[in-house]
Amino acid sequence: MSLSHQGCGATHSKDPNPATSKLATSCCFEHHCSQPQSADSQSQSRESQSDESQSGESQGESNHAQQQDHHGCCDHSHHDETQPKVAEDQATTAHHSNYRQSWQVEGMDCPSCARKIENAVGQLADIVDVRVLFATEKLVVQFNDAATAQAIEQTVIKTGFDIRSSGQSQSAAADKPTNTWLQPDTGRIVMLVLMMLIAAGVQWWQPEMGRWLFAATCLVGLVPIATKAWRLMRSGTPFAIETLMTVAALGALYLGETAEAAMVLLLFLIGERLEGFAASRARSGVQALMALVPETAVCLRSGQRVEVAVSELRPGDRVEVAPGGRLPADGQLMNTAASIDESALTGEPMPVEHIAGDALAAGSVVVDRVIEMTITSSPGDNAIDRILHLIEEAESHKAPVARFMDSFSRWYTPLMMAVALLVVLVPPLMFAQPWDTWIYRGLAMLLIACPCALVISTPAAITSGLAAAASRGALIKGGAALERLGRVEAVAFDKTGTLTQGKPQVTDVVPVQDWSPEALLRCVAAIEIGSRHPLAISVVQEAERRHISVPHATDKQVQVGRGVSGELGGHHYQILAPAYLDQVAGADLQENIRQLEAQGKTVVVVLQDKQTIGLIAWQDALRKDACRAIGELQALGIRTTMLTGDNAVSAAAIAEKLNIEFAAGLLPQDKVSHVARLANSRRVAMVGDGINDAPAMKAAHIGIAMGGGTDVALETADAALTHNRLTELAGMIKLSRAVMDNITQNVTLALGLKGLFLVTSLFGVTGLWVAVLADSGATALVTLNALRLLKFKQ
């Protein structure tokens, strides 16, 4: 392996599809041991790591942890912002249980519903861990006794929600109405409206009877709410909105305000429906993603076309997909060529041309012809499933502001109930005020104290932001990463595979003495063959293009960060960078090196028995959008830096084209140190390939991987650009800032309305029905404001 490999730090996949490719790690930077290794053994080690990264999430995390320890990056714990995320990860992995089962829960209108279910299930014995993922409506529970599963289902039903096993087919659940307005509560609203109209008509000519009809209407609407409040109190949620509504309605009936009591319940139910509608809109992006995979596929078995359920497909099966059909799983194209629409996954509007052997992603649409493909993904592990899994995991990585709002809402409601009680008791007892007046005002304050708008203000914005990012081809691991992204003040880039295309080509072969270009290439290719590094691969490909027969070299040794050596035909060959040679023989050769490096090319010197026999140079083209991406970041006031192991002259040529700062000649540990120094004075994002740059990415406040959609990249980084478009980086930061502004607006709106109506209710200006309208209105406004992020544009 040549010295120029130190400048790459890149990983590449033969598969151009970013949603399904597996990163194949190949840089010598993965090995920092003092003893040299053979290139063959190194390649085998790397292939083993790549295989392990695909074996499962838990094992990938273990490999990643080992890699962190190996590089010493764990010592960089100076970023307070990252500690909550780490703590949450540790808490998640600390649970051990015999069973882990998931269910789909229906009927959740806001994140507070999710908390109610968590509290109820958490009260059961034998529960190790319980999580409700609001975005995907999934309940995930860890427990030890198989019989507990039935108890969990019964508890959720008693709490007032519908539940079904995640293994149940979507078609089985499709029998239930999916339209929010076709739910049972809608019928109850219609019935209450009719009863109130009748009561109002009767009261016009018979006031006393009208009052009793309003009371009956109130009781009809109150029974299910009070029942649910009682269940929630028994399951560990005593301060639910249902409890507040029950107390307020009974208090209003006690005071004889029957019409107002009925109106309070009607407005409450309408507000619940509005919340349900808004919640379904917020989850629409996730539901649309889930719908990308068809339920059935045409499988080719023994020459017969058989329609089977997608869940029955296994790796190795061959399926047929007609034009306009969606791919049922990840697979490999068998046709000579095909045009595939991948816009749902990558955001790329134009169809992508694929050839035989290319990897295809589940959910993509066949454009031009009937295709055959070989399935490569197991059920539950295709590109769509991995994105959904990321969204689910994102909910466990809450932003600091979300964690604060959660804790705030937990003591806010009991505190406001205590304040309402003081409003009821203090004026009559201490100032001889009328009890009826202050009981009424206390009940109004009780309704205004409902924390629904506050509770939903943050998660609604963050969920919308994550969904908007996913639709643009950017995957962000939760609210914590989203919040850190918006505070980025500097971005450090790896060069090869990040700012450049990562596909270097041999541009110059300069022999000396009696050597010919073909003979020089023959020897270098013999030493480099077997390595998976892009530069090594390009040398071998250049030899093949020139029809040069590559012999077998022996005793190949990797000189970490410097180059590679080997034995061929009784001679010892070395491929090293000029910087690691005391002196390159020949003034003409030194001038050649200077000229090639000034052009931004990476140059190595080839030695035979310590005698210089020639030079080889590579050049890696910049990404087409690199200059624009850097310009957009700088326009946001963000400092940009390129970190590379390449030589300073070559790095300077690239940096000049990009108008970017740079640091050259860096080993991985040097990149970590450089990022750490930057992080001491400003919030830093590190953009790299997700494997070789992992230490530096972890030393930064947030790591962003190129070539996302792969297991390794997503495990390593906090965010990933799935379609490798650097221009989306500035868009991600703008979106993150918009999310944080949206949260500020939501919290201000919720608290402002509550504060206003608390004062007006205290002085008797507004009554019970206005209090309910204010609470429901605030919740609806906050949710609708958050939904604006789904249509975010730069």
Side-chain angles (χ1 to χ4, degrees):
M1 183 177 295
S2 60
L3 161 79
S4 51
H5 302 174
Q6 69 176 308
C8 291
T11 55
H12 300 274
S13 168
K14 182 178 179 180
D15 174 21
N17 189 324
T20 57
S21 61
K22 302 294 181 181
L23 292 180
T25 177
S26 56
C27 183
C28 60
F29 291 164
E30 292 179 78
H31 306 278
H32 294 284
C33 54
S34 58
Q35 297 297 326
Q37 299 179 0
S38 72
D40 291 341
S41 65
Q42 183 190 22
S43 177
Q44 292 173 359
S45 172
R46 287 190 293 259
E47 290 172 3
S48 173
Q49 286 183 348
S50 180
D51 292 340
E52 288 172 1
S53 70
Q54 302 175 40
S55 64
E57 181 181 86
S58 59
Q59 188 169 348
E61 291 172 353
S62 174
N63 293 344
H64 174 52
Q66 292 172 4
Q67 186 183 46
Q68 279 187 311
D69 181 65
H70 181 61
H71 290 290
C73 65
C74 293
D75 295 335
H76 299 275
S77 58
H78 56 281
H79 310 304
D80 293 337
E81 291 180 49
T82 63
Q83 290 179 2
K85 177 173 72 70
V86 174
E88 285 181 1
D89 292 341
Q90 291 173 345
T92 301
T93 57
H95 302 299
H96 299 284
S97 60
N98 295 332
Y99 299 94
R100 183 180 186 273
Q101 189 169 339
S102 63
W103 293 265
Q104 291 296 128
V105 179
E106 298 172 352
M108 292 190 294
D109 296 330
C110 67
S112 61
C113 295
R115 188 183 304 157
K116 294 172 186 176
I117 298 173
E118 288 179 347
N119 290 339
V121 175
Q123 298 291 322
L124 297 174
D126 188 45
I127 299 298
V128 177
D129 182 51
V130 55
R131 279 194 303 161
V132 177
L133 308 171
F134 178 71
T136 53
E137 299 181 288
K138 184 178 289 186
L139 166 66
V140 183
V141 187
Q142 296 182 39
F143 50 94
N144 293 313
D145 189 350
T148 304
Q150 186 175 0
I152 292 171
E153 295 178 358
Q154 293 174 350
T155 300
V156 174
I157 293 172
K158 289 179 180 179
T159 308
F161 300 92
D162 295 327
I163 186 172
R164 61 183 174 85
S165 172
S166 292
Q168 186 178 348
S169 68
Q170 293 181 1
S171 59
D175 296 335
K176 296 186 178 181
T178 55
N179 191 313
T180 304
W181 297 104
L182 298 180
Q183 302 297 322
D185 284 351
T186 305
R188 191 176 301 129
I189 291 173
V190 173
M191 182 178 66
L192 288 179
V193 169
L194 293 176
M195 292 180 68
M196 288 189 67
L197 290 175
I198 294 172
V202 171
Q203 192 179 37
W204 183 262
W205 56 273
Q206 190 71 31
E208 188 64 23
M209 183 176 293
R211 289 180 64 254
W212 281 106
L213 285 176
F214 273 122
T217 302
C218 177
L219 292 174
V220 169
L222 182 61
V223 169
I225 296 174
T227 302
K228 188 173 182 179
W230 174 248
R231 290 174 179 173
L232 290 171
M233 290 181 66
R234 294 182 61 186
S235 63
T237 309
F239 301 114
I241 179 60
E242 289 80 4
T243 305
L244 302 182
M245 287 304 308
T246 302
V247 172
L250 291 176
L253 288 177
Y254 169 77
L255 295 174
E257 302 289 343
T258 57
E260 196 160 11
M263 179 62 74
V264 163
L265 289 176
L266 178 61
L267 290 175
F268 169 72
L269 290 174
I270 293 175
E272 289 283 287
R273 287 299 88 216
L274 287 173
E275 286 185 21
F277 175 72
S280 68
R281 286 291 305 275
R283 285 192 291 255
S284 61
V286 175
Q287 292 168 345
L289 193 63
M290 296 170 68
L292 289 179
V293 178
E295 292 187 9
T296 61
V298 177
C299 190
L300 303 178
R301 294 177 178 173
S302 302
Q304 300 294 319
R305 300 170 72 255
V306 182
E307 186 170 350
V308 300
V310 169
S311 59
E312 297 178 11
L313 295 177
R314 295 293 183 271
D317 288 346
R318 295 188 64 172
V319 299
E320 180 182 276
V321 185
R326 291 192 179 275
L327 305 188
D330 295 348
Q332 189 175 45
L333 181 64
M334 305 301 294
N335 300 64
T336 303
S339 183
I340 307 295
D341 179 1
E342 301 173 350
S343 58
L345 287 172
T346 66
E348 179 60 51
M350 298 300 294
V352 179
E353 297 297 327
H354 287 277
I355 61 174
D358 281 357
L360 307 177
S364 302
V365 179
V366 180
V367 175
D368 57 347
R369 67 192 65 189
V370 177
I371 70 164
E372 291 183 15
M373 59 181 284
T374 302
I375 301 299
T376 58
S377 63
S378 300
D381 190 34
N382 60 44
I384 301 296
D385 293 318
R386 288 194 291 274
I387 295 175
L388 288 172
H389 176 70
L390 179 67
I391 293 173
E392 291 175 354
E393 288 300 311
E395 287 201 44
S396 65
H397 303 315
K398 293 183 178 180
V401 64
R403 288 192 294 271
F404 170 76
M405 291 308 301
D406 278 351
S407 60
F408 175 77
S409 64
R410 291 178 190 275
W411 59 260
Y412 166 81
T413 303
L415 176 63
M416 292 309 299
M417 291 186 74
V419 171
L421 184 61
L422 290 175
V423 169
V424 172
L425 297 178
V426 172
L429 293 178
M430 298 186 66
F431 303 102
Q433 295 292 313
W435 281 96
D436 288 356
T437 299
W438 289 98
I439 289 176
Y440 182 86
R441 294 181 183 181
L443 292 176
M445 293 191 67
L446 195 65
L447 292 179
I448 294 173
C450 172
C452 285
L454 277 176
V455 169
I456 203 173
S457 60
T458 299
I462 288 177
T463 300
S464 296
L466 294 175
S471 68
R472 300 162 63 94
L475 299 180
I476 304 174
K477 284 188 174 180
L482 187 65
E483 183 173 346
R484 292 200 303 275
L485 188 60
R487 296 178 177 177
V488 164
E489 299 168 303
V491 178
F493 292 90
D494 173 46
K495 179 173 77 72
T496 306
T498 303
L499 293 173
T500 66
Q501 295 178 7
K503 298 179 180 179
Q505 302 294 323
V506 174
T507 57
D508 299 88
V509 180
V510 185
V512 298
Q513 299 177 1
D514 298 329
W515 284 79
S516 66
E518 289 73 17
L520 182 63
L521 264 179
R522 178 177 178 271
C523 294
V524 174
I527 304 299
E528 296 281 23
I529 195 169
S531 171
R532 297 298 301 167
H533 193 279
L535 298 184
I537 292 172
S538 67
V539 169
V540 176
Q541 290 176 343
E542 180 67 15
E544 293 174 349
R545 189 183 69 81
R546 299 191 185 194
H547 305 290
I548 298 173
S549 176
V550 180
H552 177 69
T554 60
D555 195 25
K556 292 188 281 188
Q557 300 288 326
V558 175
Q559 299 177 23
V560 178
R562 291 173 171 80
V564 68
S565 62
E567 300 288 335
L568 180 64
H571 295 282
H572 181 69
Y573 291 87
Q574 291 177 288
I575 305 170
L576 302 173
Y580 292 98
L581 292 172
D582 294 335
Q583 185 176 4
V584 178
D588 292 341
L589 207 57
Q590 293 179 20
E591 181 59 26
N592 277 335
I593 293 173
R594 281 193 292 270
Q595 291 179 359
L596 291 170
E597 290 182 341
Q599 298 171 24
K601 297 179 180 179
T602 298
V603 184
V604 296
V605 180
V606 184
L607 306 175
Q608 181 193 58
D609 298 328
K610 298 185 178 181
Q611 297 296 318
T612 302
I613 60 173
L615 307 175
I616 292 185
W618 293 263
Q619 191 164 42
D620 189 7
L622 284 173
R623 291 185 182 275
K624 295 179 181 179
D625 60 348
C627 291
R628 178 184 165 193
I630 298 298
E632 289 178 348
L633 290 173
Q634 292 173 346
L636 292 174
I638 295 174
R639 177 181 175 183
T640 54
T641 303
M642 179 179 70
L643 306 180
T644 177
D646 213 343
N647 63 79
V649 177
S650 178
I654 297 292
E656 184 178 0
K657 295 178 182 178
L658 295 173
N659 188 28
I660 188 175
E661 301 175 15
F662 74 94
L666 304 179
L667 294 174
Q669 56 266 38
D670 300 325
K671 290 185 180 181
V672 172
S673 300
H674 196 93
V675 169
R677 286 195 296 272
L678 281 174
N680 285 332
S681 57
R682 61 191 72 207
R683 295 180 178 89
V684 180
M686 174 68 191
V687 185
D689 55 42
I691 298 178
N692 298 315
D693 296 311
M697 292 167 74
K698 287 301 177 183
H701 291 91
I702 182 169
I704 302 172
M706 298 293 294
T710 67
D711 295 338
V712 176
L714 295 179
E715 289 168 7
T716 304
D718 301 296
L721 297 173
T722 59
H723 45 41
N724 290 330
R725 286 207 297 264
L726 278 174
T727 49
E728 291 299 341
L729 187 57
M732 289 170 65
I733 294 174
K734 291 179 183 177
L735 174 60
S736 176
R737 292 178 178 179
V739 169
M740 302 315 298
D741 290 342
N742 193 279
I743 290 174
T744 301
Q745 295 165 8
N746 286 347
V747 172
T748 302
L749 183 63
L751 290 178
L753 284 175
K754 287 184 182 298
L756 173 65
F757 285 102
L758 278 173
V759 173
T760 56
S761 297
L762 184 63
F763 289 98
V765 178
T766 54
L768 290 179
W769 70 273
V770 176
V772 176
L773 188 61
D775 176 70
S776 299
T779 302
L781 288 175
V782 162
T783 305
L784 292 174
N785 187 43
L787 291 177
R788 292 190 304 111
L789 293 168
L790 294 174
K791 298 182 180 180
F792 174 82
K793 294 182 180 179
Q794 294 190 38

